Amino acid sequence: MQKNDMVTVTIEDIGTDGEGIGKVDGYTLFIKDAVIGDVAEVKIMKTKKNYGYARLMKIVKPSEYRVESPVCRLARRCGGCQIQEMEYARQLRFKEEKVRGNLMRIGGIREELLDKVMEPIIGMEHPFAYRNKAQFPFGTDKNGQPVTGFYAGRTHDIIANTDCALGVPVNKEILEIMLGFMKDYGIRSYDETSGEGFIRHVLIRYGFTTKEIMVCIVINGRQIPHGDVLVQRLIGLEGMTSITISPNTRRTNVIMGDRYEVLWGKAFITDYIGEVKYQISPLSFYQVNPVQTEKLYELALEYADLKGEETVWDLYCGIGTISLFLAKRAKQVYGVEIVPQAVIDARNNARINGIDNAEFFGGKAEEVLPEYYERYAGEHGGQKAYADVVVVDPPRKGCDETLLRTIVRMRPDRVVYVSCDSATLARDVKYLRGDGYEVERVRAVDQFPHTVHVETVCLLSKKAQ
Ligand code: SAH
């Protein structure tokens, strides 16, 4: 098989990035945008010894799982959604199978055990307009006019679109105001190549419960010319609560600057997950799908099985979201988080909820927990630092092994592992299973419909010795 060859192929599987996989004469092809079940005509783009990449040219026979007209007309070109053209129920099955596959292959868990412990994935009833946060890059079109939208997959080409189907409707109104303002006053978008121009990104956050809106404009400079006019236009929107700028003059891919300034209103918006209230500022991390986050945390809480007397450690706690959920049912919660501002937010969130049994430490989980454990052990006559339950919610790379080692030495009754990457989850589960723990329950939660990402909650219990 050679570059530019056209072949017809039946899509039999889905790759980890959502691409279709098919075979021609035993040779494996990866085809972006092809849906499992499609029969498609494809053009070979790149060949390797055992596999190649092809482009979808024509669908000869559409899969029964193919959505006839996707909600977003840009679904295929935009880098935001990878699998919007696959029907939602099939997306869920794909994600569940991905978690299962990783737990088997990487985690070494036998199929019979998985059949027993895996619970059905929790999907969304209405899998659109779910994001409470969006960051829109600004650029310039062929006619020199400012545009905004999303990056095409793997590039920084902007696909003009103010109406993303995963975001809230007010995004469009805000972006149209921004574009109108820029045109009226001749304010240019930032140009990554030359480093010139002014408006880099606009961050929008929306409180699903409170209906409060935050707009943060990332600028290549220190002040927005005619900022008062922009503020006047934006505050016409119902719910506008916080308008800020974040100066970022660095030549970098990092979106936000390292500080922000209030132009109008508050420095934060408030929102709720369940009954817990959170203040969210432009730079804080906050889960982007509030509907599913509540289900995710409820599940973590259910797996933690707290009776009110427990000591719980919540590692990688962010702004304390899970910690505060747990605190209502535990005796004491300790959170550990690496980002200093998030630790400040976590303490503040505890305070505004009147929660006084949650304490937060800044630092790396793999350093703070072992140190605390050793020190406590020394100071208290051999009595070790104690945990009934340990919750971890690490970034994609998973837990550091030093941390896992400390956890198994502390011997909590239960470890609740919240994961955004089931491959590293499986790797860490293997470690814990090798040292006195067994998987009791596992369940995937779909936080990001139409993308290939999936969250998983896994309960491990201490084995009887
Ligand atoms: N549990 C929180 C945040 C999860 S995201 C929530 O649900 O909102 C993972 C968090 O881990 C981020 O806040 C990140 O800053 C933090 N983090 C990354 N590496 C870390 C480390 N080595 N030690 C502690 N926290 C870390």
Side-chain angles (χ1 to χ4, degrees):
M1 205 153 313
Q2 281 175 358
K3 194 172 168 183
N4 293 330
D5 279 0
M6 295 286 285
V7 289
T8 302
V9 55
T10 302
I11 310 302
E12 286 162 359
D13 206 349
I14 312 170
T16 44
D17 293 326
E19 71 278 28
I21 302 177
K23 279 198 168 130
V24 178
D25 300 333
Y27 185 77
T28 303
L29 288 174
F30 294 93
I31 308 139
K32 186 176 162 301
D33 305 315
V35 171
I36 187 166
D38 279 344
V39 178
E41 212 171 272
V42 305
K43 185 172 170 181
I44 310 294
M45 304 307 290
K46 198 167 160 186
T47 55
K48 303 251 177 166
K49 191 158 166 257
N50 298 316
Y51 61 90
Y53 299 92
R55 177 181 292 163
L56 177 64
M57 303 304 284
K58 196 174 127 200
I59 298 158
V60 181
K61 188 170 161 282
S63 159
E64 58 175 310
Y65 305 118
R66 183 171 272 283
V67 176
E68 257 175 53
S69 42
V71 170
C72 176
R73 71 196 154 81
L74 300 165
R76 192 176 295 184
R77 286 174 58 210
C78 178
C81 288
Q82 295 96 38
I83 51 175
Q84 202 190 114
E85 293 179 304
M86 191 192 304
E87 130 196 323
Y88 187 57
R90 190 64 186 80
Q91 290 183 21
L92 291 175
R93 199 173 118 202
F94 155 64
K95 293 185 185 192
E96 199 169 84
E97 283 168 359
K98 179 157 139 177
V99 173
R100 197 184 160 86
N102 281 333
L103 287 171
M104 268 165 69
R105 262 196 331 277
I106 305 170
I109 303 180
R110 279 177 303 114
E111 194 154 16
E112 305 84 83
L113 178 58
L114 273 179
D115 285 342
K116 236 172 51 198
V117 298
M118 253 191 106
E119 301 168 70
I121 185 167
I122 302 177
M124 286 194 88
E125 212 173 313
H126 305 291
F128 285 96
Y130 63 77
R131 287 188 67 102
N132 59 12
K133 168 186 165 181
Q135 288 165 314
F136 295 88
F138 278 67
T140 307
D141 71 9
K142 288 195 287 290
N143 308 317
Q145 293 297 314
V147 286
T148 183
F150 286 96
Y151 292 132
R154 296 199 195 92
T155 74
H156 272 194
D157 297 340
I158 294 175
I159 295 170
N161 179 20
T162 54
D163 198 15
C164 168
L166 305 191
V168 290
V170 78
N171 288 345
K172 185 177 161 76
E173 293 178 66
I174 293 166
L175 295 174
E176 298 295 343
I177 289 175
M178 276 305 299
L179 291 172
F181 167 74
M182 290 168 73
K183 285 175 193 162
D184 291 349
Y185 291 91
I187 297 170
R188 291 186 307 144
S189 302
Y190 177 70
D191 176 356
E192 278 182 328
T193 337
S194 67
E196 284 168 13
F198 198 69
I199 306 289
R200 291 177 73 127
H201 273 84
V202 168
L203 159 76
I204 303 171
R205 282 183 142 145
Y206 177 75
F208 272 57
T209 313
T210 57
K211 313 248 184 301
E212 292 182 0
I213 302 167
M214 162 185 291
V215 177
C216 178
I217 304 144
V218 185
I219 55 174
N220 180 32
R222 288 170 40 186
Q223 275 175 6
I224 295 198
H226 311 285
D228 49 334
V229 178
L230 179 60
V231 164
Q232 281 313 312
R233 293 186 185 180
L234 286 171
I235 61 178
L237 296 171
E238 202 183 320
M240 189 56 67
T241 304
S242 165
I243 304 175
T244 54
I245 52 168
S246 181
N248 181 2
T249 53
R250 290 167 301 176
R251 300 282 292 269
T252 141
N253 267 343
V254 177
I255 296 178
M256 303 298 291
D258 43 25
R259 62 187 184 91
Y260 62 89
E261 244 169 70
V262 177
L263 282 190
W264 180 87
K266 295 184 192 160
F268 57 84
I269 59 168
T270 304
D271 202 21
Y272 288 80
I273 301 175
E275 283 167 9
V276 185
K277 183 158 71 171
Y278 301 93
Q279 283 178 354
I280 310 143
S281 67
L283 301 179
S284 16
F285 174 89
Y286 188 65
Q287 296 278 355
V288 298
N289 182 336
V291 172
Q292 292 302 90
T293 297
E294 184 167 352
K295 296 179 194 166
L296 184 75
Y297 292 173
E298 282 296 346
L299 189 64
L301 192 60
E302 185 187 323
Y303 283 9
D305 192 23
L306 302 176
K307 305 278 185 268
E309 283 309 308
E310 293 86 353
T311 300
V312 185
W313 281 79
D314 178 22
L315 306 168
Y316 310 88
C317 70
I319 59 168
T321 25
I322 297 181
S323 321
L324 300 182
F325 237 68
L326 298 164
K328 294 182 295 174
R329 306 251 194 97
K331 186 170 90 192
Q332 178 67 36
V333 177
Y334 299 105
V336 184
E337 163 61 42
I338 197 169
V339 175
Q341 183 58 45
V343 178
I344 295 170
D345 289 346
R347 291 180 184 140
N348 185 48
N349 286 327
R351 189 180 51 79
I352 63 172
N353 285 285
I355 292 173
D356 55 14
N357 60 338
E359 195 180 329
F360 295 96
F361 302 98
K364 292 184 180 170
E366 63 272 24
E367 289 174 6
V368 173
L369 191 69
E371 269 166 34
Y372 183 90
Y373 178 72
E374 296 303 340
R375 189 176 64 213
Y376 199 65
E379 281 171 10
H380 292 260
Q383 190 194 354
K384 303 284 183 189
Y386 184 76
D388 296 289
V389 178
V390 171
V391 177
V392 296
D393 183 8
R396 279 187 204 161
K397 68 173 190 220
C399 294
D400 193 281
E401 206 176 299
T402 320
L403 177 66
L404 295 174
R405 207 177 308 132
T406 308
I407 293 173
V408 296
R409 283 173 68 197
M410 284 173 84
R411 301 207 65 69
D413 292 336
R414 289 178 293 287
V415 177
V416 178
Y417 196 131
V418 182
S419 158
C420 55
D421 184 336
S422 55
T424 54
L425 166 72
R427 179 200 67 202
D428 293 347
V429 160
K430 186 172 182 179
Y431 183 99
L432 295 170
R433 289 183 79 220
D435 211 342
Y437 285 82
E438 187 51 285
V439 177
E440 292 272 322
R441 298 173 74 178
V442 188
R443 191 160 197 183
V445 181
D446 189 20
Q447 294 275 91
F448 310 105
H450 311 295
T451 78
V452 294
H453 303 292
V454 58
E455 293 267 329
T456 311
V457 188
C458 177
L459 167 66
L460 294 116
S461 291
K462 186 165 69 182
K463 282 192 279 204
Q465 297 230 312

